Amino acid sequence: MSAPDFRLTVPPNVKGRSMTLAQTHNLSRFRVAKLAAIFVAELLAVAVVYQFFAQIECHLTGSQTTCDFLRSLVARALVLVAVSAILIQARPVLFAGFMRHAAGHSAPIARVVHFGGVALLLVPLIMAGGGNLGAIFGAAVFPWVAGAGLALVGGLLWAAPWQAWAAVVVQDHYALLPILLAAALVPDLAELALPLWDWQALTTATFMAVAGFLRLFSTAVEVAPVDYVVGVDGFLVHIARQCSGVEGFALVTAFVALYAFIFRGEVRQLRFWLVILPLGLLLSWILNVVRIGALVLIGAHVSPELAVNGFHSYAGWLFFTVLAFALIWFVQMAGWLHYRATEPTQIPLRRDPVAAAIVPFVVFMVVSTFIAAIFPSPGLGFPLITVALMAVTAVLWPVYRTLSGRPDLVPVIAGGVVGVLWVLTAPSPDLMLETAVATMPTMVFAVWAGLRILGTVIFVPLVEEMFFRGYVLQRLDGTNLWQRSAAVLVSSLAFAALHGRWIEAGLAGLLFAGLMLRRGRVADAIWGHIIANAIVAGAAFAQREWSLIS
């Protein structure tokens, strides 16, 4: 007998008027965290799509300041999401009323506005035909600005009604606004603070540390101490003062100061500053040394273009994000830094169906972003995605094992149609990927191909369908025809945007949505996706054309 299929429902004991205050608070906290995870996944998805399918040089647009500001929006938004989550945790009394409003809030129109804004952010890609966005920069500014505005407003109203937001702001005498403004201006504040850390001795120390790091991997390290130039096999970099780690120091200082201010009533300020700031600065400098060393190794042994235009662009923010979350975790775990030590709250993720729909997809996007930063062709790093998804799936297996099992003939046929069309309409092969795979040693190729096929056929369908059909589609779906149509359209467009092949992936998204809605079983959509990916993976293996899998 098969178990009931995956459902996104509120447990019976927290429905209706009998819900206790504690239950309301817990449900609200989870809902806010869930929405934050969705917004972060969207930001990463937009960043990855533009990294793969767009080319833009701000200095060639004629609007350098506007272009730089638009490019910084993703980083600013990530900081705002993180700081907002910290504020809710730090000010439970202030947000108590907000949480009550958020617990039972349902805003289908706000969700449509939000996802419509996200879709509008991708319109310039279609306008440019995947080419140079600099040529249409003036025309692209409007959909970017309008899309960001709609996504922001829709997201806020999705989380809670506007009255709840207004009450929080007014109740705290508008004190939250300067904090959020400071969070949005963290990149600018860090840049202004650079002269405070501009020490020649720091540049010298960084230069020597990078040279030592490179000697761990190569015996042919080239150094020019007078000019602060270091490199391997002809790929040389100049360690200027701005590369010495000063930006990381400024960012860490701004972050620590913001955290100390938000939690000023809970953390012991003297201990906090004497421990967390030096620790953050030291780790920031070490990560900067690793970043520069990795940049040189990628430029020397993989691709100079990837090193300069890919890894150099993403690695700094990626490392800072990891460091920021590590510092937050350390502070929360260290009871001696607080006036009153509290036991960390343990969230039962293993049996949470909503977490099973969202968390693996967030992991998928984060690892994909990392791979895009360090590999010349993302397909080469796909085994890392497989390993990451295997780990997160194992954690959440108690949820996945409850999915209804065997499919009927309809998902098999639908998946077969999608797989065949995907192969027949495949774009030109990725020559870099095909060349790299063809030159792999036999054992390396066996491991790479095995993990590539395993991830493509099993884990990617599970993770993508749980998110796009199991979560997005279900959350947007409603009793009215227009609500269901909007849910199918938005989930399918988001699925197409992730894959970059708008027509093929869009049609596949529509078919998978139909499978989900036909019997109300996300397992049918997963099976259809598995069949499709199995056909594509089989064709890729038979033809030795691995770029078919995209």
Side-chain angles (χ1 to χ4, degrees):
M1 178 181 296
S2 61
D5 197 19
F6 176 79
R7 291 288 186 276
L8 291 175
T9 57
V10 178
N13 64 322
V14 295
K15 288 185 177 180
R17 298 181 180 179
S18 61
M19 184 162 51
T20 67
L21 181 62
Q23 289 171 332
T24 302
H25 183 70
N26 291 334
L27 180 61
S28 302
R29 285 174 63 90
F30 176 76
R31 184 172 181 273
V32 171
K34 175 183 66 180
L35 290 179
I38 293 173
F39 298 153
V40 169
E42 290 173 346
L43 289 169
L44 292 174
V46 170
V48 169
V49 168
Y50 270 96
Q51 173 69 13
F52 282 117
F53 303 106
Q55 299 175 1
I56 185 170
E57 296 289 342
C58 285
H59 65 278
L60 298 178
T61 62
S63 304
Q64 175 85 32
T65 303
T66 302
C67 183
D68 287 339
F69 175 75
L70 290 173
R71 295 185 70 169
S72 71
L73 287 181
V74 172
R76 296 177 195 273
L78 288 172
V79 175
L80 277 172
V81 169
V83 170
S84 299
I86 293 174
L87 281 171
I88 292 174
Q89 178 183 354
R91 313 286 287 276
V93 176
L94 175 64
F95 283 94
F98 175 87
M99 288 298 191
R100 286 194 296 273
H101 282 91
H105 183 55
S106 177
I109 296 178
R111 293 198 294 268
V112 172
V113 171
H114 171 76
F115 286 116
V118 175
L120 196 56
L121 289 173
L122 302 174
V123 167
L125 288 174
I126 302 175
M127 295 167 57
N132 184 10
L133 285 171
I136 61 162
F137 182 77
V141 169
F142 174 75
W144 279 330
V145 174
L150 290 174
L152 174 62
V153 172
L156 292 176
L157 296 180
W158 182 6
W162 69 268
Q163 294 93 336
W165 292 105
V168 168
V169 173
V170 174
Q171 184 179 347
D172 203 36
H173 305 289
Y174 301 94
L176 294 180
L177 297 182
I179 296 176
L180 295 176
L181 178 61
L185 296 177
V186 162
D188 306 289
L189 296 174
E191 186 173 353
L192 291 174
L194 289 181
L196 299 176
W197 304 97
D198 194 7
W199 306 332
Q200 188 63 45
L202 180 62
T203 305
T204 303
T206 302
F207 169 78
M208 296 174 62
V210 170
F213 175 82
L214 291 175
R215 290 190 179 98
L216 297 175
F217 302 92
S218 175
T219 58
V221 178
E222 304 174 45
V223 294
V226 176
D227 299 318
Y228 293 100
V229 173
V230 62
V232 173
D233 294 340
F235 185 86
L236 306 175
V237 298
H238 169 61
I239 300 181
R241 290 188 175 186
Q242 59 267 30
C243 301
S244 63
V246 291
E247 184 178 14
F249 281 11
L251 285 171
V252 168
T253 303
F255 176 79
V256 169
L258 192 60
Y259 190 98
F261 177 76
I262 293 174
F263 286 93
R264 60 189 180 277
E266 298 181 25
V267 299
R268 299 179 181 272
Q269 293 291 324
L270 182 60
R271 296 181 185 181
F272 179 83
W273 283 99
L274 289 178
V275 174
I276 299 304
L277 182 59
L279 178 63
L281 295 178
L282 176 61
L283 293 176
S284 174
W285 182 75
I286 293 173
L287 288 175
N288 183 60
V289 170
V290 173
R291 179 181 69 88
I292 298 174
L295 172 72
V296 173
L297 294 174
I298 292 172
H301 301 303
V302 181
S303 167
E305 182 180 355
L306 172 67
V308 175
N309 297 325
F311 183 82
H312 185 63
S313 302
Y314 281 99
W317 276 106
L318 179 64
F319 283 7
F320 170 72
T321 302
V322 172
L323 175 59
F325 280 106
L327 290 176
I328 291 175
W329 174 83
F330 179 77
V331 173
Q332 294 295 322
M333 291 295 105
W336 49 274
L337 288 175
H338 299 79
Y339 288 113
R340 181 180 297 174
T342 57
E343 291 296 326
T345 302
Q346 296 183 356
I347 302 175
L349 286 176
R350 288 181 60 82
R351 300 185 181 278
D352 191 325
V354 181
I358 296 176
V359 172
F361 185 76
V362 174
V363 171
F364 180 33
M365 295 304 301
V366 170
V367 177
S368 297
T369 304
F370 174 75
I371 288 173
I374 65 173
F375 284 91
S377 177
L380 290 175
F382 195 90
L384 296 178
I385 294 178
T386 302
V387 173
L389 295 186
M390 289 173 63
V392 73
T393 300
V395 172
L396 295 165
W397 183 247
V399 176
Y400 297 136
R401 67 184 298 178
T402 65
L403 296 176
S404 298
R406 297 177 181 177
D408 59 10
L409 194 58
V410 175
V412 176
I413 295 175
V417 171
V418 171
V420 171
L421 289 178
W422 195 267
V423 173
L424 293 178
T425 59
S428 301
D430 182 350
L431 297 180
M432 183 177 294
L433 172 63
E434 305 301 345
T435 301
V437 173
T439 56
M440 285 181 180
T442 303
M443 186 58 66
V444 174
F445 169 76
V447 173
W448 180 89
L451 289 174
R452 184 72 167 103
I453 293 173
L454 179 64
T456 298
V457 176
I458 302 298
F459 293 100
V460 169
L462 174 64
V463 170
E464 290 187 352
E465 293 309 313
M466 288 290 288
F467 181 74
F468 288 108
R469 258 62 64 175
Y471 183 78
V472 175
L473 179 61
Q474 285 197 63
R475 291 297 297 177
L476 295 178
D477 194 13
T479 56
N480 299 324
L481 178 61
W482 74 267
Q483 290 177 315
R484 172 151 295 185
S485 300
V488 171
L489 181 62
V490 170
S491 62
S492 299
L493 286 176
F495 183 74
L498 177 67
H499 292 80
R501 294 169 62 176
W502 290 91
I503 297 177
E504 302 94 320
L507 291 175
L510 292 174
L511 280 175
F512 295 149
L515 293 176
M516 166 68 192
L517 295 174
R518 171 174 162 263
R519 296 196 293 179
R521 293 175 21 146
V522 72
D524 286 345
I526 294 173
W527 276 111
H529 202 151
I530 287 175
I531 297 299
N533 281 17
I535 292 174
V536 176
F541 182 79
Q543 301 175 24
R544 291 297 191 270
E545 189 175 327
W546 294 98
S547 52
L548 284 174
I549 307 175
S550 59

